[in-house]
Amino acid sequence: MIGNRKGRRSRKLLKWISRYSGYWHLICTPGDEHMNMVTARNIIKCLAKHGLYEVIFVFLSVHREEEFVKNMLSYVSLDLMLKEIQHNGVDGILRVLDEHLR
C-alpha cells in the first residue's frame, strides 16, 4: 500500500515535470536570470494547484538567496508571530523563540 502511494506520487511529479519543464528548470536553477517575483508566484500557484506542496519548500530553499524570497519569508515570519501573539500572547512568542534558539 505505501509503495503504491509513493509510486503514484512519483508518477504525479514526473508528469508535472514533463508538462512544466520550464518551471522545473527554474525550480532547480538558483540564480537563473529569468527568476523573478512574478515567476516565483506563478510556480508556487502551479505547484499548489497540482498538490505538489513539498516541491514548494524545495523551491524556496533553492532560491533562498533571492531578495524577494528573503523578503517574503521575513513577512511570513512576522505574520505568524502576530498570529501567535493574538492566540497565546507575548509569552507564546517568547516560548517559540526560546525553542528555536536551542
Side-chain angles (χ1 to χ4, degrees):
M1 174 97 160
I2 292 175
N4 287 338
R5 189 172 22 200
K6 287 180 182 179
R8 283 193 304 270
R9 294 281 306 156
S10 295
R11 284 191 301 276
K12 181 178 183 176
L13 177 59
L14 290 173
K15 286 179 184 178
W16 187 90
I17 291 169
S18 177
R19 184 171 181 193
Y20 297 97
S21 60
Y23 279 175
W24 183 248
H25 174 77
L26 290 172
I27 289 169
C28 298
T29 310
D32 189 284
E33 64 185 50
H34 298 102
M35 181 54 68
N36 57 52
M37 195 172 5
V38 173
T39 303
R41 186 180 308 122
N42 290 336
I43 289 171
I44 290 170
K45 285 181 181 180
C46 186
L47 289 166
K49 176 182 172 184
H50 291 90
L52 297 169
Y53 305 106
E54 303 92 339
V55 182
I56 294 171
F57 298 112
V58 171
F59 170 70
L60 293 174
S61 293
V62 168
H63 294 279
R64 67 187 171 276
E65 296 301 321
E66 293 284 351
E67 202 60 38
F68 63 87
V69 173
K70 288 179 184 179
N71 290 338
M72 183 268 309
L73 291 174
S74 292
Y75 286 122
V76 167
S77 296
L78 290 173
D79 287 344
L80 292 173
M81 282 195 277
L82 285 171
K83 288 179 183 170
E84 181 66 27
I85 288 173
Q86 289 171 343
H87 293 293
N88 298 313
V90 175
D91 289 338
I93 287 292
L94 296 175
R95 180 185 46 76
V96 170
L97 291 174
D98 182 58
E99 287 174 7
H100 291 286
L101 289 173
R102 293 177 189 228

